[in-house]
Amino acid sequence: QVQLEESGGGLVQAGGSLRLSCAASGRTISAGTMGWFRQAPGEGREFVAGISLIRSLVYYTGSVKGRFTISRDNAKTTVYLQMNSLKPEDTAVYYCAADGSGVVGSTASSYNYWGRGTQVTVSS
């Protein structure tokens, strides 16, 4: 089992920045891929960014390319999401996810482990 805990959410004005962290514990060797999803009220869970911890490849959804950066620490137990130039439409609960495949999937069903989420609110 892999446990994931997000932190770093909050309220920020449009144009501002936040950095989310996701700390993995437990059988972290099982986490070959880690990703970030978000879910706005009344919407489905949307893929934001993912990183293969095995191949060091990263992927982003189009709406965040050039604004968000996903990275990991050398121990591969913490993944970060640096969010710059935030927009009101980025407002959502952000979830960290992990799975063992090493392949970055863009659907929620690709991931076996989930954190509880952290709220990000961007005011206009």
mmCIF file of all heavy atoms in Angstrom, residues 71-120:
data_model
loop_
_atom_site.group_PDB
_atom_site.id
_atom_site.type_symbol
_atom_site.label_atom_id
_atom_site.label_comp_id
_atom_site.label_asym_id
_atom_site.label_seq_id
_atom_site.Cartn_x
_atom_site.Cartn_y
_atom_site.Cartn_z
ATOM 1 N N SER A 71 7.383 18.048 -10.538
ATOM 2 C CA SER A 71 8.744 17.601 -10.280
ATOM 3 C C SER A 71 8.735 16.658 -9.080
ATOM 4 O O SER A 71 7.717 16.514 -8.404
ATOM 5 C CB SER A 71 9.663 18.794 -10.017
ATOM 6 O OG SER A 71 9.236 19.506 -8.858
ATOM 7 N N ARG A 72 9.862 16.042 -8.812
ATOM 8 C CA ARG A 72 9.954 15.115 -7.687
ATOM 9 C C ARG A 72 11.279 15.312 -6.976
ATOM 10 O O ARG A 72 12.224 15.847 -7.545
ATOM 11 C CB ARG A 72 9.846 13.678 -8.178
ATOM 12 C CG ARG A 72 10.938 13.299 -9.180
ATOM 13 C CD ARG A 72 10.955 11.814 -9.424
ATOM 14 N NE ARG A 72 11.857 11.425 -10.504
ATOM 15 C CZ ARG A 72 13.163 11.293 -10.371
ATOM 16 N NH1 ARG A 72 13.743 11.535 -9.215
ATOM 17 N NH2 ARG A 72 13.882 10.900 -11.391
ATOM 18 N N ASP A 73 11.361 14.850 -5.741
ATOM 19 C CA ASP A 73 12.639 14.900 -5.051
ATOM 20 C C ASP A 73 13.461 13.662 -5.424
ATOM 21 O O ASP A 73 12.956 12.717 -6.010
ATOM 22 C CB ASP A 73 12.433 15.009 -3.547
ATOM 23 C CG ASP A 73 11.816 13.752 -2.942
ATOM 24 O OD1 ASP A 73 11.370 12.850 -3.695
ATOM 25 O OD2 ASP A 73 11.777 13.660 -1.707
ATOM 26 N N ASN A 74 14.728 13.682 -5.096
ATOM 27 C CA ASN A 74 15.614 12.600 -5.520
ATOM 28 C C ASN A 74 15.243 11.263 -4.895
ATOM 29 O O ASN A 74 15.492 10.209 -5.470
ATOM 30 C CB ASN A 74 17.066 12.943 -5.183
ATOM 31 C CG ASN A 74 17.608 14.037 -6.079
ATOM 32 O OD1 ASN A 74 17.126 14.224 -7.198
ATOM 33 N ND2 ASN A 74 18.581 14.783 -5.595
ATOM 34 N N ALA A 75 14.652 11.303 -3.727
ATOM 35 C CA ALA A 75 14.252 10.058 -3.075
ATOM 36 C C ALA A 75 12.970 9.496 -3.675
ATOM 37 O O ALA A 75 12.564 8.386 -3.327
ATOM 38 C CB ALA A 75 14.063 10.292 -1.582
ATOM 39 N N LYS A 76 12.355 10.272 -4.572
ATOM 40 C CA LYS A 76 11.129 9.861 -5.266
ATOM 41 C C LYS A 76 9.974 9.633 -4.312
ATOM 42 O O LYS A 76 9.052 8.881 -4.620
ATOM 43 C CB LYS A 76 11.362 8.608 -6.108
ATOM 44 C CG LYS A 76 12.444 8.762 -7.157
ATOM 45 C CD LYS A 76 12.609 7.492 -7.967
ATOM 46 C CE LYS A 76 13.730 7.623 -8.973
ATOM 47 N NZ LYS A 76 13.915 6.389 -9.754
ATOM 48 N N THR A 77 10.023 10.272 -3.142
ATOM 49 C CA THR A 77 8.917 10.096 -2.207
ATOM 50 C C THR A 77 8.015 11.314 -2.129
ATOM 51 O O THR A 77 6.971 11.255 -1.496
ATOM 52 C CB THR A 77 9.459 9.779 -0.795
ATOM 53 O OG1 THR A 77 10.308 10.851 -0.363
ATOM 54 C CG2 THR A 77 10.231 8.472 -0.791
ATOM 55 N N THR A 78 8.418 12.408 -2.741
ATOM 56 C CA THR A 78 7.601 13.620 -2.746
ATOM 57 C C THR A 78 7.552 14.176 -4.156
ATOM 58 O O THR A 78 8.568 14.281 -4.831
ATOM 59 C CB THR A 78 8.169 14.684 -1.790
ATOM 60 O OG1 THR A 78 8.240 14.149 -0.470
ATOM 61 C CG2 THR A 78 7.269 15.912 -1.780
ATOM 62 N N VAL A 79 6.353 14.500 -4.580
ATOM 63 C CA VAL A 79 6.131 15.119 -5.879
ATOM 64 C C VAL A 79 5.522 16.498 -5.662
ATOM 65 O O VAL A 79 4.695 16.673 -4.768
ATOM 66 C CB VAL A 79 5.210 14.241 -6.749
ATOM 67 C CG1 VAL A 79 4.817 14.968 -8.025
ATOM 68 C CG2 VAL A 79 5.909 12.944 -7.106
ATOM 69 N N TYR A 80 5.949 17.435 -6.470
ATOM 70 C CA TYR A 80 5.503 18.809 -6.340
ATOM 71 C C TYR A 80 4.741 19.246 -7.596
ATOM 72 O O TYR A 80 4.983 18.747 -8.688
ATOM 73 C CB TYR A 80 6.695 19.736 -6.138
ATOM 74 C CG TYR A 80 7.582 19.337 -4.992
ATOM 75 C CD1 TYR A 80 8.725 18.582 -5.202
ATOM 76 C CD2 TYR A 80 7.269 19.717 -3.682
ATOM 77 C CE1 TYR A 80 9.544 18.206 -4.156
ATOM 78 C CE2 TYR A 80 8.079 19.339 -2.628
ATOM 79 C CZ TYR A 80 9.212 18.585 -2.869
ATOM 80 O OH TYR A 80 10.018 18.206 -1.817
ATOM 81 N N LEU A 81 3.862 20.185 -7.419
ATOM 82 C CA LEU A 81 3.204 20.835 -8.545
ATOM 83 C C LEU A 81 3.330 22.337 -8.329
ATOM 84 O O LEU A 81 2.650 22.904 -7.473
ATOM 85 C CB LEU A 81 1.740 20.427 -8.668
ATOM 86 C CG LEU A 81 1.030 20.961 -9.904
ATOM 87 C CD1 LEU A 81 1.593 20.312 -11.172
ATOM 88 C CD2 LEU A 81 -0.482 20.718 -9.834
ATOM 89 N N GLN A 82 4.229 22.950 -9.067
ATOM 90 C CA GLN A 82 4.386 24.397 -9.012
ATOM 91 C C GLN A 82 3.388 25.017 -9.969
ATOM 92 O O GLN A 82 3.396 24.712 -11.167
ATOM 93 C CB GLN A 82 5.814 24.797 -9.411
ATOM 94 C CG GLN A 82 6.055 26.289 -9.444
ATOM 95 C CD GLN A 82 5.973 26.926 -8.067
ATOM 96 O OE1 GLN A 82 6.489 26.391 -7.091
ATOM 97 N NE2 GLN A 82 5.314 28.078 -7.979
ATOM 98 N N MET A 83 2.523 25.857 -9.451
ATOM 99 C CA MET A 83 1.463 26.464 -10.257
ATOM 100 C C MET A 83 1.670 27.969 -10.308
ATOM 101 O O MET A 83 1.597 28.642 -9.271
ATOM 102 C CB MET A 83 0.099 26.129 -9.660
ATOM 103 C CG MET A 83 -0.126 24.634 -9.457
ATOM 104 S SD MET A 83 -1.798 24.238 -8.920
ATOM 105 C CE MET A 83 -1.823 25.007 -7.312
ATOM 106 N N ASN A 84 1.953 28.476 -11.482
ATOM 107 C CA ASN A 84 2.151 29.909 -11.696
ATOM 108 C C ASN A 84 1.047 30.472 -12.580
ATOM 109 O O ASN A 84 0.343 29.725 -13.258
ATOM 110 C CB ASN A 84 3.514 30.146 -12.350
ATOM 111 C CG ASN A 84 4.667 29.680 -11.492
ATOM 112 O OD1 ASN A 84 4.613 29.726 -10.265
ATOM 113 N ND2 ASN A 84 5.736 29.228 -12.144
ATOM 114 N N SER A 85 0.936 31.781 -12.579
ATOM 115 C CA SER A 85 -0.067 32.471 -13.413
ATOM 116 C C SER A 85 -1.442 31.842 -13.239
ATOM 117 O O SER A 85 -2.140 31.543 -14.209
ATOM 118 C CB SER A 85 0.355 32.422 -14.889
ATOM 119 O OG SER A 85 1.622 33.008 -15.073
ATOM 120 N N LEU A 86 -1.821 31.642 -12.008
ATOM 121 C CA LEU A 86 -3.084 30.964 -11.723
ATOM 122 C C LEU A 86 -4.281 31.777 -12.213
ATOM 123 O O LEU A 86 -4.265 33.021 -12.184
ATOM 124 C CB LEU A 86 -3.201 30.673 -10.235
ATOM 125 C CG LEU A 86 -2.369 29.468 -9.763
ATOM 126 C CD1 LEU A 86 -2.152 29.519 -8.268
ATOM 127 C CD2 LEU A 86 -3.051 28.181 -10.171
ATOM 128 N N LYS A 87 -5.302 31.058 -12.642
ATOM 129 C CA LYS A 87 -6.529 31.650 -13.162
ATOM 130 C C LYS A 87 -7.706 31.167 -12.326
ATOM 131 O O LYS A 87 -7.645 30.080 -11.727
ATOM 132 C CB LYS A 87 -6.738 31.223 -14.622
ATOM 133 C CG LYS A 87 -5.573 31.536 -15.538
ATOM 134 C CD LYS A 87 -5.822 30.970 -16.932
ATOM 135 C CE LYS A 87 -4.650 31.260 -17.859
ATOM 136 N NZ LYS A 87 -4.880 30.708 -19.219
ATOM 137 N N PRO A 88 -8.796 31.921 -12.311
ATOM 138 C CA PRO A 88 -9.973 31.467 -11.550
ATOM 139 C C PRO A 88 -10.445 30.074 -11.976
ATOM 140 O O PRO A 88 -10.923 29.305 -11.132
ATOM 141 C CB PRO A 88 -11.015 32.541 -11.865
ATOM 142 C CG PRO A 88 -10.205 33.769 -12.106
ATOM 143 C CD PRO A 88 -8.968 33.292 -12.819
ATOM 144 N N GLU A 89 -10.266 29.733 -13.234
ATOM 145 C CA GLU A 89 -10.699 28.411 -13.700
ATOM 146 C C GLU A 89 -9.803 27.276 -13.200
ATOM 147 O O GLU A 89 -10.117 26.106 -13.406
ATOM 148 C CB GLU A 89 -10.782 28.361 -15.232
ATOM 149 C CG GLU A 89 -9.550 28.853 -15.949
ATOM 150 C CD GLU A 89 -9.684 30.320 -16.376
ATOM 151 O OE1 GLU A 89 -10.164 31.150 -15.569
ATOM 152 O OE2 GLU A 89 -9.275 30.617 -17.529
ATOM 153 N N ASP A 90 -8.713 27.608 -12.521
ATOM 154 C CA ASP A 90 -7.887 26.574 -11.884
ATOM 155 C C ASP A 90 -8.440 26.185 -10.514
ATOM 156 O O ASP A 90 -7.925 25.249 -9.890
ATOM 157 C CB ASP A 90 -6.440 27.075 -11.708
ATOM 158 C CG ASP A 90 -5.732 27.296 -13.028
ATOM 159 O OD1 ASP A 90 -5.861 26.457 -13.932
ATOM 160 O OD2 ASP A 90 -5.034 28.334 -13.144
ATOM 161 N N THR A 91 -9.466 26.872 -10.057
ATOM 162 C CA THR A 91 -10.063 26.569 -8.765
ATOM 163 C C THR A 91 -10.639 25.161 -8.755
ATOM 164 O O THR A 91 -11.435 24.796 -9.617
ATOM 165 C CB THR A 91 -11.170 27.583 -8.432
ATOM 166 O OG1 THR A 91 -10.579 28.885 -8.271
ATOM 167 C CG2 THR A 91 -11.906 27.203 -7.156
ATOM 168 N N ALA A 92 -10.212 24.364 -7.793
ATOM 169 C CA ALA A 92 -10.641 22.968 -7.698
ATOM 170 C C ALA A 92 -10.001 22.334 -6.469
ATOM 171 O O ALA A 92 -9.116 22.930 -5.845
ATOM 172 C CB ALA A 92 -10.225 22.190 -8.945
ATOM 173 N N VAL A 93 -10.455 21.140 -6.165
ATOM 174 C CA VAL A 93 -9.726 20.298 -5.223
ATOM 175 C C VAL A 93 -8.687 19.526 -6.030
ATOM 176 O O VAL A 93 -9.029 18.900 -7.042
ATOM 177 C CB VAL A 93 -10.653 19.326 -4.480
ATOM 178 C CG1 VAL A 93 -9.843 18.414 -3.563
ATOM 179 C CG2 VAL A 93 -11.706 20.101 -3.686
ATOM 180 N N TYR A 94 -7.448 19.605 -5.603
ATOM 181 C CA TYR A 94 -6.357 18.939 -6.300
ATOM 182 C C TYR A 94 -5.987 17.654 -5.559
ATOM 183 O O TYR A 94 -5.758 17.661 -4.351
ATOM 184 C CB TYR A 94 -5.145 19.864 -6.398
ATOM 185 C CG TYR A 94 -5.317 20.914 -7.478
ATOM 186 C CD1 TYR A 94 -6.245 21.939 -7.323
ATOM 187 C CD2 TYR A 94 -4.578 20.861 -8.648
ATOM 188 C CE1 TYR A 94 -6.425 22.891 -8.322
ATOM 189 C CE2 TYR A 94 -4.743 21.811 -9.655
ATOM 190 C CZ TYR A 94 -5.670 22.821 -9.473
ATOM 191 O OH TYR A 94 -5.848 23.753 -10.472
ATOM 192 N N TYR A 95 -5.932 16.569 -6.323
ATOM 193 C CA TYR A 95 -5.640 15.257 -5.774
ATOM 194 C C TYR A 95 -4.322 14.722 -6.320
ATOM 195 O O TYR A 95 -4.046 14.845 -7.518
ATOM 196 C CB TYR A 95 -6.740 14.263 -6.139
ATOM 197 C CG TYR A 95 -8.086 14.567 -5.561
ATOM 198 C CD1 TYR A 95 -9.008 15.343 -6.262
ATOM 199 C CD2 TYR A 95 -8.454 14.070 -4.314
ATOM 200 C CE1 TYR A 95 -10.259 15.614 -5.731
ATOM 201 C CE2 TYR A 95 -9.701 14.340 -3.781
ATOM 202 C CZ TYR A 95 -10.602 15.110 -4.490
ATOM 203 O OH TYR A 95 -11.839 15.382 -3.959
ATOM 204 N N CYS A 96 -3.574 14.108 -5.442
ATOM 205 C CA CYS A 96 -2.370 13.384 -5.836
ATOM 206 C C CYS A 96 -2.747 11.919 -6.051
ATOM 207 O O CYS A 96 -3.583 11.372 -5.318
ATOM 208 C CB CYS A 96 -1.330 13.510 -4.729
ATOM 209 S SG CYS A 96 0.212 12.636 -5.045
ATOM 210 N N ALA A 97 -2.139 11.298 -7.048
ATOM 211 C CA ALA A 97 -2.432 9.904 -7.355
ATOM 212 C C ALA A 97 -1.141 9.171 -7.695
ATOM 213 O O ALA A 97 -0.171 9.783 -8.138
ATOM 214 C CB ALA A 97 -3.414 9.813 -8.516
ATOM 215 N N ALA A 98 -1.158 7.866 -7.507
ATOM 216 C CA ALA A 98 0.034 7.068 -7.809
ATOM 217 C C ALA A 98 -0.365 5.683 -8.294
ATOM 218 O O ALA A 98 -1.453 5.184 -7.965
ATOM 219 C CB ALA A 98 0.928 6.949 -6.579
ATOM 220 N N ASP A 99 0.497 5.102 -9.097
ATOM 221 C CA ASP A 99 0.321 3.700 -9.458
ATOM 222 C C ASP A 99 1.685 3.120 -9.767
ATOM 223 O O ASP A 99 2.677 3.849 -9.814
ATOM 224 C CB ASP A 99 -0.650 3.532 -10.636
ATOM 225 C CG ASP A 99 0.039 3.616 -11.969
ATOM 226 O OD1 ASP A 99 0.430 4.730 -12.328
ATOM 227 O OD2 ASP A 99 0.211 2.573 -12.618
ATOM 228 N N GLY A 100 1.756 1.841 -9.962
ATOM 229 C CA GLY A 100 3.038 1.176 -10.066
ATOM 230 C C GLY A 100 3.568 0.981 -11.464
ATOM 231 O O GLY A 100 4.679 0.491 -11.657
ATOM 232 N N SER A 101 2.806 1.416 -12.491
ATOM 233 C CA SER A 101 3.155 1.029 -13.852
ATOM 234 C C SER A 101 4.371 1.751 -14.429
ATOM 235 O O SER A 101 5.057 1.211 -15.292
ATOM 236 C CB SER A 101 1.958 1.275 -14.770
ATOM 237 O OG SER A 101 1.758 2.666 -14.946
ATOM 238 N N GLY A 102 4.599 2.990 -13.996
ATOM 239 C CA GLY A 102 5.662 3.774 -14.629
ATOM 240 C C GLY A 102 5.202 4.454 -15.906
ATOM 241 O O GLY A 102 5.965 5.208 -16.513
ATOM 242 N N VAL A 103 3.961 4.207 -16.291
ATOM 243 C CA VAL A 103 3.382 4.842 -17.473
ATOM 244 C C VAL A 103 2.402 5.919 -17.000
ATOM 245 O O VAL A 103 1.552 5.644 -16.152
ATOM 246 C CB VAL A 103 2.651 3.826 -18.354
ATOM 247 C CG1 VAL A 103 1.986 4.519 -19.539
ATOM 248 C CG2 VAL A 103 3.626 2.749 -18.829
ATOM 249 N N VAL A 104 2.523 7.117 -17.542
ATOM 250 C CA VAL A 104 1.658 8.205 -17.094
ATOM 251 C C VAL A 104 0.318 8.106 -17.809
ATOM 252 O O VAL A 104 0.227 8.332 -19.010
ATOM 253 C CB VAL A 104 2.305 9.569 -17.374
ATOM 254 C CG1 VAL A 104 1.367 10.697 -16.928
ATOM 255 C CG2 VAL A 104 3.643 9.687 -16.636
ATOM 256 N N GLY A 105 -0.724 7.768 -17.072
ATOM 257 C CA GLY A 105 -2.057 7.731 -17.627
ATOM 258 C C GLY A 105 -2.777 9.033 -17.352
ATOM 259 O O GLY A 105 -2.489 9.721 -16.367
ATOM 260 N N SER A 106 -3.724 9.371 -18.211
ATOM 261 C CA SER A 106 -4.461 10.620 -18.049
ATOM 262 C C SER A 106 -5.887 10.406 -17.565
ATOM 263 O O SER A 106 -6.684 11.346 -17.551
ATOM 264 C CB SER A 106 -4.476 11.394 -19.371
ATOM 265 O OG SER A 106 -5.102 10.629 -20.373
ATOM 266 N N THR A 107 -6.209 9.179 -17.189
ATOM 267 C CA THR A 107 -7.535 8.915 -16.642
ATOM 268 C C THR A 107 -7.403 8.461 -15.195
ATOM 269 O O THR A 107 -6.413 7.833 -14.812
ATOM 270 C CB THR A 107 -8.263 7.836 -17.444
ATOM 271 O OG1 THR A 107 -7.499 6.623 -17.394
ATOM 272 C CG2 THR A 107 -8.430 8.251 -18.901
ATOM 273 N N ALA A 108 -8.426 8.773 -14.408
ATOM 274 C CA ALA A 108 -8.390 8.439 -12.986
ATOM 275 C C ALA A 108 -8.263 6.931 -12.775
ATOM 276 O O ALA A 108 -7.636 6.482 -11.812
ATOM 277 C CB ALA A 108 -9.631 8.975 -12.294
ATOM 278 N N SER A 109 -8.817 6.151 -13.692
ATOM 279 C CA SER A 109 -8.783 4.698 -13.539
ATOM 280 C C SER A 109 -7.382 4.120 -13.704
ATOM 281 O O SER A 109 -7.145 2.953 -13.386
ATOM 282 C CB SER A 109 -9.734 4.049 -14.550
ATOM 283 O OG SER A 109 -9.338 4.366 -15.870
ATOM 284 N N SER A 110 -6.436 4.940 -14.177
ATOM 285 C CA SER A 110 -5.056 4.476 -14.343
ATOM 286 C C SER A 110 -4.294 4.425 -13.033
ATOM 287 O O SER A 110 -3.178 3.918 -12.988
ATOM 288 C CB SER A 110 -4.309 5.401 -15.314
ATOM 289 O OG SER A 110 -4.922 5.424 -16.583
ATOM 290 N N TYR A 111 -4.868 4.976 -11.982
ATOM 291 C CA TYR A 111 -4.160 5.122 -10.712
ATOM 292 C C TYR A 111 -4.824 4.331 -9.610
ATOM 293 O O TYR A 111 -6.038 4.311 -9.497
ATOM 294 C CB TYR A 111 -4.086 6.610 -10.336
ATOM 295 C CG TYR A 111 -3.270 7.401 -11.334
ATOM 296 C CD1 TYR A 111 -3.847 7.856 -12.523
ATOM 297 C CD2 TYR A 111 -1.927 7.668 -11.114
ATOM 298 C CE1 TYR A 111 -3.088 8.547 -13.454
ATOM 299 C CE2 TYR A 111 -1.175 8.374 -12.033
ATOM 300 C CZ TYR A 111 -1.765 8.798 -13.207
ATOM 301 O OH TYR A 111 -1.014 9.488 -14.124
ATOM 302 N N ASN A 112 -3.989 3.697 -8.786
ATOM 303 C CA ASN A 112 -4.497 2.847 -7.715
ATOM 304 C C ASN A 112 -4.579 3.545 -6.369
ATOM 305 O O ASN A 112 -5.341 3.127 -5.497
ATOM 306 C CB ASN A 112 -3.586 1.619 -7.552
ATOM 307 C CG ASN A 112 -3.569 0.750 -8.788
ATOM 308 O OD1 ASN A 112 -4.608 0.559 -9.414
ATOM 309 N ND2 ASN A 112 -2.417 0.249 -9.154
ATOM 310 N N TYR A 113 -3.758 4.558 -6.188
ATOM 311 C CA TYR A 113 -3.656 5.199 -4.876
ATOM 312 C C TYR A 113 -3.983 6.688 -5.005
ATOM 313 O O TYR A 113 -3.566 7.336 -5.973
ATOM 314 C CB TYR A 113 -2.248 5.023 -4.303
ATOM 315 C CG TYR A 113 -1.785 3.587 -4.266
ATOM 316 C CD1 TYR A 113 -0.888 3.107 -5.205
ATOM 317 C CD2 TYR A 113 -2.281 2.716 -3.296
ATOM 318 C CE1 TYR A 113 -0.475 1.788 -5.180
ATOM 319 C CE2 TYR A 113 -1.866 1.392 -3.267
ATOM 320 C CZ TYR A 113 -0.967 0.931 -4.205
ATOM 321 O OH TYR A 113 -0.564 -0.376 -4.173
ATOM 322 N N TRP A 114 -4.691 7.193 -4.012
ATOM 323 C CA TRP A 114 -5.145 8.580 -4.040
ATOM 324 C C TRP A 114 -4.979 9.232 -2.682
ATOM 325 O O TRP A 114 -5.143 8.583 -1.643
ATOM 326 C CB TRP A 114 -6.627 8.643 -4.431
ATOM 327 C CG TRP A 114 -6.862 8.256 -5.845
ATOM 328 C CD1 TRP A 114 -7.062 7.001 -6.335
ATOM 329 C CD2 TRP A 114 -6.907 9.141 -6.970
ATOM 330 N NE1 TRP A 114 -7.231 7.046 -7.697
ATOM 331 C CE2 TRP A 114 -7.135 8.343 -8.120
ATOM 332 C CE3 TRP A 114 -6.765 10.510 -7.133
ATOM 333 C CZ2 TRP A 114 -7.235 8.890 -9.400
ATOM 334 C CZ3 TRP A 114 -6.861 11.053 -8.401
ATOM 335 C CH2 TRP A 114 -7.093 10.242 -9.520
ATOM 336 N N GLY A 115 -4.647 10.533 -2.716
ATOM 337 C CA GLY A 115 -4.685 11.317 -1.505
ATOM 338 C C GLY A 115 -6.083 11.857 -1.274
ATOM 339 O O GLY A 115 -6.998 11.615 -2.077
ATOM 340 N N ARG A 116 -6.246 12.605 -0.199
ATOM 341 C CA ARG A 116 -7.571 13.129 0.151
ATOM 342 C C ARG A 116 -7.884 14.445 -0.544
ATOM 343 O O ARG A 116 -9.037 14.889 -0.532
ATOM 344 C CB ARG A 116 -7.672 13.310 1.663
ATOM 345 C CG ARG A 116 -7.599 11.994 2.419
ATOM 346 C CD ARG A 116 -7.823 12.196 3.905
ATOM 347 N NE ARG A 116 -7.857 10.930 4.624
ATOM 348 C CZ ARG A 116 -8.084 10.822 5.917
ATOM 349 N NH1 ARG A 116 -8.306 11.902 6.644
ATOM 350 N NH2 ARG A 116 -8.089 9.645 6.508
ATOM 351 N N GLY A 117 -6.885 15.076 -1.106
ATOM 352 C CA GLY A 117 -7.094 16.315 -1.840
ATOM 353 C C GLY A 117 -6.786 17.558 -1.029
ATOM 354 O O GLY A 117 -6.827 17.551 0.198
ATOM 355 N N THR A 118 -6.466 18.623 -1.736
ATOM 356 C CA THR A 118 -6.231 19.928 -1.126
ATOM 357 C C THR A 118 -6.910 20.985 -1.978
ATOM 358 O O THR A 118 -6.844 20.939 -3.211
ATOM 359 C CB THR A 118 -4.716 20.206 -0.975
ATOM 360 O OG1 THR A 118 -4.512 21.433 -0.278
ATOM 361 C CG2 THR A 118 -4.003 20.273 -2.320
ATOM 362 N N GLN A 119 -7.584 21.920 -1.325
ATOM 363 C CA GLN A 119 -8.373 22.928 -2.034
ATOM 364 C C GLN A 119 -7.473 24.049 -2.557
ATOM 365 O O GLN A 119 -6.661 24.604 -1.807
ATOM 366 C CB GLN A 119 -9.433 23.512 -1.112
ATOM 367 C CG GLN A 119 -10.260 24.630 -1.730
ATOM 368 C CD GLN A 119 -11.208 24.136 -2.806
ATOM 369 O OE1 GLN A 119 -11.909 23.145 -2.618
ATOM 370 N NE2 GLN A 119 -11.236 24.828 -3.946
ATOM 371 N N VAL A 120 -7.659 24.386 -3.810
ATOM 372 C CA VAL A 120 -7.020 25.552 -4.410
ATOM 373 C C VAL A 120 -8.121 26.479 -4.896
ATOM 374 O O VAL A 120 -8.982 26.070 -5.671
ATOM 375 C CB VAL A 120 -6.100 25.151 -5.582
ATOM 376 C CG1 VAL A 120 -5.619 26.396 -6.332
ATOM 377 C CG2 VAL A 120 -4.922 24.334 -5.082
#
